[in-house]
């Protein structure tokens, strides 16, 4: 409020100062521009007398422009042309004057006609009747008439006829020959003679019309009415528009003589009128006044009235000499032209402020989001680090760093690496699931296909052992062991990364009707020998004896040449034995479990031997280690086999897919070997080394007899074998290890061939 008052006060002070400062110019511009010459009469009553017209010789330019103001007997005074009775009612600087001109009449009373023509026919020198503003008119119902006179360099005559038969024929306002007729007059007329006559002295119309009238009249000021048939008799003069101009030469001719050139005002121009004589003067655009006198043309202040300019309501009009401009006031923006030339500045300011605030908020939000993401990333890294340490990553790193680097060594993978490889551990990548955890297929950045096992949570007290196992496993480089490539410790659940074995588990082959057919006896024997070899190697050859502890057909994988790859050992030891998890474990491996170990909890290499015995039984019989869909006595394969063997009925349970010529001896031998492995007392079971040698010996012997007996069956052999490459490994096997076991094998081949189909 205080500011507003101050502003108002300031504004009014400024306004007063402005008025005081500019008052001389205001006074000057408010003065009317000069119309007439100095000391000349410029007015006669209401009528202006602009130069070149004047009342005295010094005041007019030429005698044609002499006018007389008569104030005797007239109030207001009247202006006359010269000293005649021709009254002038208006003088326009555009080149027209308005005169009162005569009417010609023709009347007939009592058998006598009374005719009056105009007493005066000619106009001042170089003045002409305006041919567009005036019309020759006759009013009467039995009349015809003429207008004649002189034009520039010729004469003229024109006329019309006005007739009617009754008053009812007449139409108000229409002058088309019924009671009234009109015609235009030609250009450049400077004498006017009027004549009006009656055809038959009003014989047939005398009861309402006895007079006719002829006149040249300003079209705008005459409108025909029925009453005019009679009331025109009292009228003697009617307005006539006359054009005036200076001299009879052109502008160029006039300009050549400066002493007589009439356009004397500054900002005036000369132009030729559309008709008539001479030239006229005119103030230039933006000026007004009398171009015929000195300083007669004055600047028009277009800003004085709204109609004088086309500035919009926001614009401020500024007058200039001969023109004006529309300007935006200070609180507006824009160039000030056109419809929305000026726009409020404040809007701009508000818009700028709004944009500023909006972008500020956006930046703030962005910053908050970035900070949030960064904090989240840090938190994730922290948990990753925590898990890494918790999972013994530090220990593993230390152990690794003590050894010389080699490409065979275990890699510590980052979690994100494995996430990428498994498509974020997508369900479609799962290739195995069980008590041990979940196995995903994955493709590493270097295009290697791997199997990634997500283990069950590690018991913190066993971390050292876990790391040890991982470390030891990574050292095993046996062609029949699924190689551990590395691990990831950044999650609460450690992830193990193995080489990917293409052909799935032995179990899936044995217990699938179609696949099992491909798995012929020689292949099965080879797989058994390879598995036994690995276990033997683990038990004795490796630096630290490793007990697999979970030997079963599910943990024997096959590659595309049906080479056995033993998987999932060592790590299985890490599974903590609490009750909840034991029950899940039993689901997968109960049928293979060493009964002695179950009783004593004493884990020895002989537990693996027992489990391997069950694997041999599965290979021979094609049955599952534990089948719940069979009768109670057949549920456990090991127990059932032992009872069958007691009754000498082995071939009743041999898989009919492998029963063929010449392999019964081998099958019996393997069955015998399995029986020994399944001894209840671990001490009574053979060692893995003995088992492996026995199996290799069988293969070697079988190969010899094969070569001896089946030379002619070469083609049949090839069709039975899944892969030639697979066979070639038999020949390249470690034959030396089989020496000395041939005799043992022979002793075992005692069982009768019953062809158990
Ligand atoms: C006047 O009226 C009479 C009768 O209607 C007609 O015969 C005569 O021609 C008319 N005269 C004129 C001049 O129109
Ligand atoms: C014609 O008649 C009308 C109506 O009476 C009148 O107002 C008008 O002045 C008349 N015209 C002339 C030129 O006298």
């Amino acid at each position: 409020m205080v500011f507003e008052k101050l502003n108002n006060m300031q504004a009014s002070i400024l306004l007063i100062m402005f008025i005081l400062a500019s008052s001389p110019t205001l006074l000057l511009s408010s003065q009317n521009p000069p119309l007439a010459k100095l000391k000349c009469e410029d007015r006669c009553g209401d009528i202006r007398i602009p130069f070149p017209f004047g009342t005295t010789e010094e005041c007019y330019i030429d005698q044609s422009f002499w006018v007389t103001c008569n104030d005797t007997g007239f109030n207001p005074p009247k202006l006359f042309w010269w000293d005649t009775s021709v009254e002038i009612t208006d003088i326009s600087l555009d080149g027209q004057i308005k005169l009162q001109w005569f009417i010609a009449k023709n009347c007939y009373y009592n058998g006598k006609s009374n005719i009056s023509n105009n007493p005066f026919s000619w106009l001042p020198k170089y003045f002409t009747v305006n041919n567009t503003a005036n019309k020759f008119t006759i009013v009467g119902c039995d009349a015809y008439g003429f207008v004649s006179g002189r034009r520039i360099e010729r004469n003229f005559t024109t006329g019309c006829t006005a007739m009617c038969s009754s008053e009812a024929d007449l139409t108000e306002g229409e002058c088309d020959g019924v009671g009234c007729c009109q015609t235009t007059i030609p250009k450049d007329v400077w004498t006017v003679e009027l004549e009006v006559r009656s055809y038959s002295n009003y014989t047939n119309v005398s009861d309402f019309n006895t007079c006719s009238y002829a006149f040249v009249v300003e079209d705008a000021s005459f409108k025909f009415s029925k009453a005019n048939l009679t009331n025109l008799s009292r009228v003697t003069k009617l307005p006539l528009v006359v054009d005036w101009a200076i001299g009879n030469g052109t502008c160029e001719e006039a300009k050549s003589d400066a002493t007589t050139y009439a356009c004397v005002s500054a900002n005036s121009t000369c132009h030729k009128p559309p008709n008539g004589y001479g030239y006229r003067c005119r103030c230039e655009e933006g000026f007004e006044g009398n171009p015929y006198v000195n300083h007669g043309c004055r600047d028009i202040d277009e800003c004085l009235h709204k109609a004088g300019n086309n500035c919009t309501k926001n614009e401020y009009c500024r007058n200039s000499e001969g023109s004006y401009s529309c300007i935006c006031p200070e609180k507006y923006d824009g160039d000030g032209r056109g419809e929305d030339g000026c726009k409020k500045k404040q809007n701009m300011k508000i818009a700028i402020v709004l944009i500023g605030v909006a972008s500020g908020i956006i930046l703030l939000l962005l910053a908050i989001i970035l900070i949030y993401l960064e904090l989240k990333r840090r938190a994730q890294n922290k948990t990753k680090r925590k898990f890494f340490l918790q999972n013994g990553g530090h220990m593993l790193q230390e152990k690794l760093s003590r050894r010389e680097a080699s490409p065979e060594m275990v890699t510590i993978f980052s979690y994100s690496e494995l996430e990428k490889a498994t498509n974020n551990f997508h369900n479609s990548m799962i290739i195995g699931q069980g008590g041990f955890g979940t196995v995903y297929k994955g493709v590493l950045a270097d295009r290697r296909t791997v199997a990634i096992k997500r283990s069950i949570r590690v018991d913190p007290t066993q971390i050292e052992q876990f790391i040890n196992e991982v470390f030891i496993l990574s050292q095993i480089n046996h062609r029949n062991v699924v190689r551990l490539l590395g691990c990831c410790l950044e999650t609460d659940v450690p992830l193990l990364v193995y080489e990917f074995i293409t052909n799935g588990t032995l179990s899936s082959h044995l217990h699938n009707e179609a696949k099992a057919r491909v798995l012929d006896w020689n292949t099965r024997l080879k797989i058994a020998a390879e598995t036994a070899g690995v276990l033997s190697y683990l038990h004795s050859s490796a630096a630290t004896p490793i007990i697999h502890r979970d030997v079963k057909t599910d943990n024997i994988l096959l590659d595309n040449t049906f080479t056995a790859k033993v998987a999932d050992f060592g790590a299985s030891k890490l599974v903590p034995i609490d009750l909840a998890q034991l029950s899940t474990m039993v689901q997968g491996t109960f049928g293979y479990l060493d009964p002695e170990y179950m009783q004593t909890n004493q884990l020895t290499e002989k537990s693996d031997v027992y489990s391997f015995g069950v694997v041999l039984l599965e290979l021979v019989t094609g049955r599952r280690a534990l089948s719940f869909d069979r009768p109670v006595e057949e549920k456990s394969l090991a127990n059932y086999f032992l009872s069958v063997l007691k009754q000498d009925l082995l071939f009743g349970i041999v898989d009919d897919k492998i029963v063929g010529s010449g392999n019964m001896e081998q099958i019996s031998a393997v069955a015998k070997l399995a029986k020994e492995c399944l001894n209840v007392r671990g001490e009574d079971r053979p060692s893995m080394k003995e088992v492996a040698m026995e199996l290799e010996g069988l293969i070697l012997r079988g190969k010899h007899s094969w070569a001896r007996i089946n030379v002619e069956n070469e083609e049949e052999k090839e069709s039975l074998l899944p892969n030639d490459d697979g066979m070639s490994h038999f020949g390249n096997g470690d034959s030396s290890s089989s020496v000395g076991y041939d005799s043992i094998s022979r002793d075992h081949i005692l069982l009768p061939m019953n062809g158990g189909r």
Side-chain angles (χ1 to χ4, degrees), residues 406-420:
S406 95
E408 304 287 314
M409 273 196 324
V410 63
T411 316
I412 297 181
F413 290 95
S414 75
Y415 185 68
S416 57
E417 222 176 322
L418 299 186
E419 251 184 341
K420 249 178 249 164

Side-chain angles (χ1 to χ4, degrees), residues 142 199-200 204:
D142 183 27
Y199 284 108
S200 55
N204 286 357

Side-chain angles (χ1 to χ4, degrees), residues 148-375:
S148 60
R150 292 195 58 77
R151 306 172 62 187
I152 297 174
E153 288 166 3
R154 73 183 96 164
N155 297 331
F156 81 96
T157 304
T158 185
C160 66
T161 299
M163 304 287 286
C164 78
S165 52
S166 78
E167 250 180 312
D169 295 347
L170 305 171
T171 314
E172 290 289 319
E174 281 189 9
C175 189
D176 50 3
V178 182
C180 174
C181 75
Q182 276 187 330
T183 183
T184 55
I185 55 165
K187 284 189 197 177
D188 305 335
V189 172
W190 59 274
T191 67
V192 181
E193 306 272 5
L194 298 167
E195 195 177 341
V196 59
R197 291 180 193 162
S198 153
Y199 284 108
S200 55
N201 289 335
Y202 312 101
T203 313
N204 286 357
V205 294
S206 57
D207 52 334
F208 63 93
N209 176 229
T210 54
C211 277
S212 303
Y213 315 93
F215 43 87
V216 179
V217 69
E218 185 189 18
D219 201 19
S221 62
F222 176 76
K223 200 154 237 174
F224 175 70
S225 161
K226 285 176 191 175
N228 294 141
L229 283 179
T230 48
N231 69 14
L232 272 175
S233 62
R234 293 192 290 278
V235 177
T236 54
K237 286 175 185 171
L238 284 172
L240 174 73
V241 179
V242 171
D243 291 333
W244 60 265
I246 311 290
N248 65 351
T250 63
C251 283
E252 284 66 37
E253 286 163 3
K255 276 177 194 167
S256 62
D257 185 355
T259 55
T260 56
Y261 183 52
C263 308
V264 294
S265 173
N267 303 312
S268 69
T269 56
C270 175
H271 70 103
K272 182 89 187 136
N275 54 59
Y277 301 93
Y279 65 91
R280 286 184 197 147
C281 304
R282 163 196 294 166
C283 289
E284 283 171 356
E285 184 128 26
F287 294 87
E288 63 184 354
N290 191 344
Y292 299 98
V293 296
N294 283 326
H295 310 296
C297 290
R298 283 283 168 89
D299 170 49
I300 301 171
D301 189 351
E302 291 91 347
C303 299
L304 223 50
H305 305 288
K306 199 81 218 128
N309 60 69
N310 63 357
C311 295
T312 60
K313 73 170 193 292
N314 286 343
E315 285 166 343
Y316 156 74
C317 181
R318 179 179 288 165
N319 186 44
S320 61
E321 190 81 346
S323 183
Y324 69 101
S325 44
C326 301
I327 293 161
C328 292
E330 256 184 39
K331 59 174 178 174
Y332 289 88
D333 267 339
D335 58 4
R337 287 282 166 191
E339 195 59 30
D340 287 319
C342 296
K343 286 208 174 108
K344 272 203 172 160
K345 241 182 195 170
Q346 268 159 326
N347 289 346
M348 252 326 244
K349 273 182 191 164
I350 288 168
I352 287 166
V353 166
L354 279 179
I355 288 167
V357 168
S359 46
I361 288 171
I362 288 167
L363 280 178
L364 195 70
L365 282 176
L366 263 175
I368 287 170
I369 288 167
L370 284 178
I371 288 169
Y372 170 77
L373 288 177
E374 175 62 18
L375 285 179

